[in-house]
């Protein structure tokens, strides 16, 4: 199916070839319809809130790959290097020329256009030549990371040696490395496959070479140190572009875990029955104690229900309503209600909330629901941090040992741009839970300051290759701003368990009460100061009336 392209002059917005427009409309309607779902959009524009937050992380600074930033003048300097790479690729084709490849790709023009979310105002031949030249440069760059026999085989042409090197020490190399993983700087993967197939005369060899390049690049870019045996099996031909391959390598796929059903063996021998009887004898005291505990709990809950009935609430609430309206008592009204009547309000709100529970499940979580204490606060409350060798799926919180397990992540100059574009791609294409975004929200929640980053670095969770711990904190705090919140079951369970542990401590409750109603309330402080001043005045009046004197006064003249 051909894609409609209006004919407009570049120098005038009003110049429009109406006859040509009508002809294109007729040709488009007369063509056979094809299934558009076969070629879904995969290369998107970065969401505007993310772009406004940090544009340098989403706009290429060194080289343009694909049509979105092709005509930017500041990137046009790299065109001569891309053309040189295309010439070298043509030499590798021996008797064939790139024109033959272009002729084949022109037939797939509609698929190329279908991959892009943005309208491409190029004619077919221009678009295909752009793809071939950019793909030649990208393949030559990826050749550095080709893995053969378990090791990388560096290969950099002399024309590009001042830009690229295997060790990645040159600034231009890092800049290009950042640019090729940007969401708006992608080209369809089938173009790369077609070019390698043209080179090796075998699609299977082309896929093997492409997979080798991508795995080598993944090892260079991945912030997580995953064991090679644990790499997910990904079919290169099913990935729409390079960034999608890297995303699938890093982000685990959520699978529904079947309910575990325990089966009892009905055929036990006599020896097993004797052991079972002895176990029952040993457990009998514990069962008695559990029964007594349940009776006590039931009795306490009965008393609470009696106290919380409407009659008792009326008896307790009316005197407090009268007392709280007395002069001077209104200052301490809010703290007292927080301590003694807040639970009733919470139950009322919970009851009202259950009426629309079906709607709440389908909604994204509120901002308050991702609130989690910082690393420093958790350390003070007794939480330990343990680094794991794995991906995001290794995150968990052990309630018994009070240990939070986090995957080891290395942060360098390229990591910030790479992770931000993973978040942007996930937000643009994912229909289910935003797993990587939720992970960045978790790290953003627990890292608030330089001290938090330092603790995680000392525990081995963060491998800091940046200048300071402060840069690490700034990186995480600006990672997922203005992104819609989402629910990821296993990460939400970790956040919930951590919050329950932290909020369940008496010291935390006291500190929250003091911070909310003492330190942050000038009225309460004024009330305490007035009480203290009144006490001093009363003491002064008492002493002046009774002429208070020390009992054990020593006469120094003796």
């Amino acid at each position: 199916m051909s894609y409609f392209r209006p004919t407009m002059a570049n120098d005038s917005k009003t110049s429009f070839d109406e006859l040509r427009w009508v002809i294109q409309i007729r040709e488009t309607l007369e063509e056979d319809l094809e299934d558009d779902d076969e070629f879904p959009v995969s290369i998107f524009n970065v969401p505007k809130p993310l772009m406004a937050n940090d544009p340098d992380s989403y706009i290429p600074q060194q080289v343009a790959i694909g049509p979105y930033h092709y005509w930017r003048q500041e990137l046009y300097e790299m065109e001569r290097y891309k053309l040189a790479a295309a010439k070298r690729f043509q030499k590798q084709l021996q008797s064939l020329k790139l024109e033959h490849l272009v002729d084949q790709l022109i037939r797939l023009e509609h698929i190329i256009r279908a991959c892009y979310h943005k309208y491409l105002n190029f004619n077919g031949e221009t678009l295909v030549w752009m793809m071939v030249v950019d793909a030649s440069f990208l393949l030559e760059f990826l050749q550095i990371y080709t893995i053969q026999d378990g090791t990388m085989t560096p290969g950099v042409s002399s024309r590009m040696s001042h830009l690229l090197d295997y060790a990645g020490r040159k600034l231009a190399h890092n800049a290009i490395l950042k640019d090729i993983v940007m969401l708006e700087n992608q080209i369809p993967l089938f173009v790369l496959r077609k070019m390698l197939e043209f080179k090796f005369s075998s699609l299977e060899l082309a896929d093997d070479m492409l997979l080798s390049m991508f795995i080598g690049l993944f090892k260079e870019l991945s912030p997580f140190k995953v064991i090679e045996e644990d790499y997910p099996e990904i079919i290169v031909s099913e990935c729409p572009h390079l960034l999608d391959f890297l995303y699938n390598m890093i982000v685990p796929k959520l699978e529904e875990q079947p309910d575990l059903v325990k089966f009892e063996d009905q055929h036990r021998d006599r020896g097993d029955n004797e052991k079972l009887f002895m176990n029952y004898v040993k457990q009998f005291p514990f069962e008695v104690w559990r029964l007594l505990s349940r009776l006590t709990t039931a009795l306490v809950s009965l008393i609470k229900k009696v106290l919380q009935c409407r009659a008792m609430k009326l008896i307790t609430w009316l005197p407090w309503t009268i007392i709280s309206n007395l002069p001077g008592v209104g200052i301490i009204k809010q703290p007292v209600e927080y301590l003694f009547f807040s639970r009733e309000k919470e139950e009322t709100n919970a009851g009202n909330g259950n009426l629309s529970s079906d709607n709440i499940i389908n909604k994204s979580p509120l901002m308050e629901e991702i609130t989690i204490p910082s690393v420093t606060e958790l350390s003070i409350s007794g939480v330990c941090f343990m680094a794991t060798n794995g991906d995001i799926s290794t995150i968990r919180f052990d309630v018994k040992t009070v240990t939070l397990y986090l995957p080891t992540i290395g942060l360098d100059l390229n990591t910030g741009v790479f992770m931000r574009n993973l978040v942007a791609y996930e937000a643009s294409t994912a229909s289910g839970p935003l797993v990587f975004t939720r992970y960045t929200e978790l790290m953003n929640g627990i890292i608030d300051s330089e001290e938090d980053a330092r603790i995680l670095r000392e525990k081995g969770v963060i491998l800091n290759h940046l200048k300071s711990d402060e840069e690490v904190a700034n990186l995480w705090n600006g990672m997922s701003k203005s992104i819609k919140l989402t629910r990821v079951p296993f990460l939400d369970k970790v956040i919930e368990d951590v919050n329950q542990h932290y909020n369940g401590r008496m010291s935390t409750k006291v500190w929250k009460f003091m911070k909310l109603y003492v330190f942050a309330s000038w009225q309460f402080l004024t009330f305490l100061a007035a009480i203290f001043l009144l006490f001093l005045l009363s003491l002064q009046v008492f002493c002046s009336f009774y002429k208070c004197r020390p009992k054990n006064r020593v006469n120094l003249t003796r």
Side-chain angles (χ1 to χ4, degrees):
M1 178 179 179
S2 64
Y3 283 71
F4 166 70
R5 300 183 297 279
T7 306
M8 291 187 182
N10 294 330
D11 57 347
S12 175
K13 295 182 179 179
T14 59
S15 178
F16 183 75
D17 190 346
E18 297 182 3
L19 179 60
R20 180 59 184 162
W21 180 82
V22 173
I23 293 174
Q24 288 182 346
I25 289 293
R26 288 178 177 175
E27 291 177 352
T28 303
L29 294 177
E30 290 176 359
E31 289 179 352
D32 295 333
L33 295 177
E34 296 183 5
D35 189 7
D36 291 340
D37 294 337
E38 187 178 353
F39 315 113
V41 176
S42 59
I43 304 174
F44 303 86
N45 291 101
V46 174
K48 291 183 179 179
L50 288 178
M51 182 68 75
N53 184 41
D54 188 7
D56 291 341
S57 295
Y58 308 102
I59 299 177
Q61 306 296 315
Q62 188 75 23
V63 60
I65 304 294
Y68 280 177
H69 300 276
Y70 197 83
W71 300 120
R72 287 178 53 207
Q73 294 182 356
E74 58 270 27
L75 302 180
Y76 205 71
E77 181 182 352
M78 289 295 297
E79 288 303 309
R80 62 192 180 107
Y81 297 104
K82 293 198 288 187
L83 289 174
K87 289 180 180 179
R88 286 188 290 272
F89 185 84
Q90 183 172 246
K91 288 182 179 180
Q92 297 173 4
L93 299 179
Q94 297 177 356
S95 60
L96 299 176
K97 290 186 177 181
L98 286 178
E99 292 181 2
H100 299 89
L101 178 61
V102 170
D103 292 338
Q104 293 188 18
L105 288 176
I106 285 180
R107 303 172 186 172
L108 305 176
E109 175 199 352
H110 64 286
I111 303 179
I112 296 176
R113 293 182 181 275
C115 294
Y116 288 90
H117 180 262
K118 183 179 179 180
Y119 170 73
L120 304 180
N121 193 16
F122 302 97
N123 62 54
E125 189 174 2
T126 302
L127 179 62
V128 172
W129 272 109
M130 180 191 303
M131 291 289 144
V132 170
V133 173
D134 289 355
S136 300
F137 176 84
L138 183 58
L139 288 174
E140 185 167 318
F141 181 84
L142 293 176
Q143 217 170 14
I144 302 174
Y145 302 101
T146 304
I147 296 178
Q148 293 181 0
D149 299 329
T151 59
M152 292 186 184
T153 57
V156 181
S157 65
S158 58
R159 292 290 301 274
M160 299 178 65
S161 59
H162 69 288
L163 291 176
L164 313 177
D165 67 329
Y166 172 69
R169 293 184 297 267
K170 297 181 180 179
L171 294 178
H173 182 96
N174 281 325
I176 295 174
L177 199 60
K178 292 178 183 177
D179 289 346
I180 66 173
V181 297
M182 291 183 178
L183 175 58
E184 295 186 356
N185 224 25
Q186 301 296 309
I187 58 175
L189 194 65
F190 73 86
V191 175
L192 301 178
R193 295 181 68 220
K194 195 70 176 178
M195 293 187 66
L196 289 177
E197 181 188 8
F198 213 65
K199 176 181 177 181
F200 296 114
S201 300
S202 171
L203 187 58
E204 184 178 353
L205 292 177
D207 288 343
D208 292 341
M209 176 59 69
L210 209 55
L211 179 61
S212 176
M213 292 177 177
F214 284 5
I215 291 293
L217 182 65
F218 168 75
K219 290 183 177 180
E220 175 70 17
L221 284 175
S222 176
F224 302 106
K225 307 307 174 185
V226 183
I227 303 174
E228 190 168 351
E229 288 75 12
D230 296 335
Y231 284 175
E233 295 182 0
I234 297 177
I235 302 176
V236 179
S237 59
E238 296 180 356
C239 297
H241 48 73
L242 172 61
L243 184 61
D244 180 81
F245 175 85
L246 298 174
Y247 175 83
N248 290 323
M249 287 290 291
I250 289 177
V251 180
K253 293 184 179 179
L254 298 182
E255 297 180 357
E256 294 184 1
Q257 297 181 352
D259 296 334
L260 298 178
V261 181
K262 296 182 179 180
F263 297 96
E264 294 184 358
D265 187 9
Q266 301 295 332
H267 305 284
R268 297 178 181 271
D269 55 12
R270 184 173 301 178
D272 292 337
N273 291 331
E274 292 178 357
K275 292 180 180 179
L276 188 62
F277 176 74
M278 294 301 298
N279 289 332
Y280 285 152
V281 172
K282 292 179 180 179
Q283 293 179 1
F284 179 74
F286 298 100
E287 294 295 333
V288 173
W289 175 256
R290 185 182 302 176
L291 179 61
L292 293 176
S293 301
R294 289 180 179 178
L295 291 176
T296 306
T297 304
L299 182 60
V300 171
S301 61
L302 179 61
I303 296 174
K304 286 183 178 180
K305 288 181 180 180
V306 172
L307 293 176
Q308 292 178 359
C309 66
R310 292 187 177 181
M312 294 300 298
K313 285 182 180 179
L314 184 63
I315 295 173
T316 55
W317 181 255
L318 281 179
W320 169 245
T321 305
I322 299 173
I323 295 173
S324 62
N325 291 325
L326 295 177
V329 183
I331 298 176
I332 61 172
K333 177 181 179 180
Q334 193 174 5
V336 173
E337 290 182 355
Y338 173 81
L339 289 175
F340 297 101
F341 300 104
S342 60
R343 189 170 184 177
E344 297 175 4
K345 294 181 179 180
E346 291 177 359
E347 292 177 354
T348 304
N349 295 333
N352 295 332
N354 290 334
L355 297 176
S356 57
S357 58
D358 295 337
N359 296 330
I360 294 175
I361 293 175
N362 297 325
K363 291 182 179 179
S364 296
L366 299 176
M367 185 64 68
E368 289 78 4
E369 291 179 327
I370 65 168
T371 301
I372 188 172
S374 66
V375 173
T376 304
E377 294 172 335
L378 291 175
S379 298
I380 295 175
S381 66
V383 176
C384 299
F385 295 90
M386 186 72 67
T388 63
N389 292 324
D391 57 11
I392 300 175
S393 62
T394 60
I395 298 177
R396 63 187 180 90
F397 180 71
D398 194 335
V399 180
K400 295 181 179 180
T401 60
V402 196
T403 303
L404 179 59
Y405 292 88
L406 296 170
T408 300
I409 181 170
L411 302 178
D412 55 25
L413 295 175
N414 302 322
T415 307
V417 172
F418 181 43
M419 291 198 300
R420 282 186 171 91
N421 281 273
L422 288 177
V423 170
Y425 177 63
E426 186 179 58
S428 301
T429 189
S431 58
L434 308 182
V435 180
F436 193 77
T437 301
R438 193 61 167 170
Y439 165 72
T440 60
E441 290 172 356
L442 172 62
M443 297 299 290
N444 183 14
I446 64 176
I447 298 179
D448 291 335
S449 63
E450 180 180 355
E451 179 66 17
D452 299 329
R454 182 191 64 80
I455 294 175
L456 291 183
R457 175 175 55 81
E458 292 177 351
K459 297 295 183 179
V461 175
I462 292 179
L463 303 178
N464 187 8
H465 302 293
L466 300 175
K467 294 180 180 179
S468 63
D469 295 327
E470 184 180 1
E471 288 191 8
V472 174
N474 294 335
L475 186 150
W476 285 114
N477 290 331
M479 182 62 64
S480 59
K481 291 181 179 178
S482 303
I483 283 291
K484 64 178 182 179
L485 303 180
T486 183
R487 294 183 182 276
V488 180
F490 76 96
L491 289 179
D492 290 343
K493 183 65 167 56
V494 171
I495 296 174
E496 181 183 357
D497 292 343
V498 170
N499 284 330
Q500 284 183 355
H501 166 77
Y502 182 77
N503 295 327
R505 295 173 59 89
M506 183 56 64
S507 58
T508 303
K509 293 181 179 180
V510 173
W511 169 247
K512 283 186 175 182
F513 175 80
M514 295 291 290
K515 185 168 63 173
L516 183 62
Y517 293 110
V518 179
F519 300 123
S521 176
W522 64 269
Q523 294 179 340
F524 193 74
L525 293 176
T526 305
F527 176 76
L528 291 180
I531 293 296
F532 183 69
L533 182 60
L534 183 62
F535 172 75
L536 293 179
L537 290 175
S538 302
L539 184 62
Q540 184 180 10
V541 171
F542 180 82
C543 290
S544 62
F545 184 77
Y546 290 100
K547 297 181 180 180
C548 300
R549 294 179 181 179
K551 295 182 179 179
N552 300 327
R553 189 170 184 178
V554 180
N555 192 353
L556 299 177
T557 57
R558 293 183 179 179

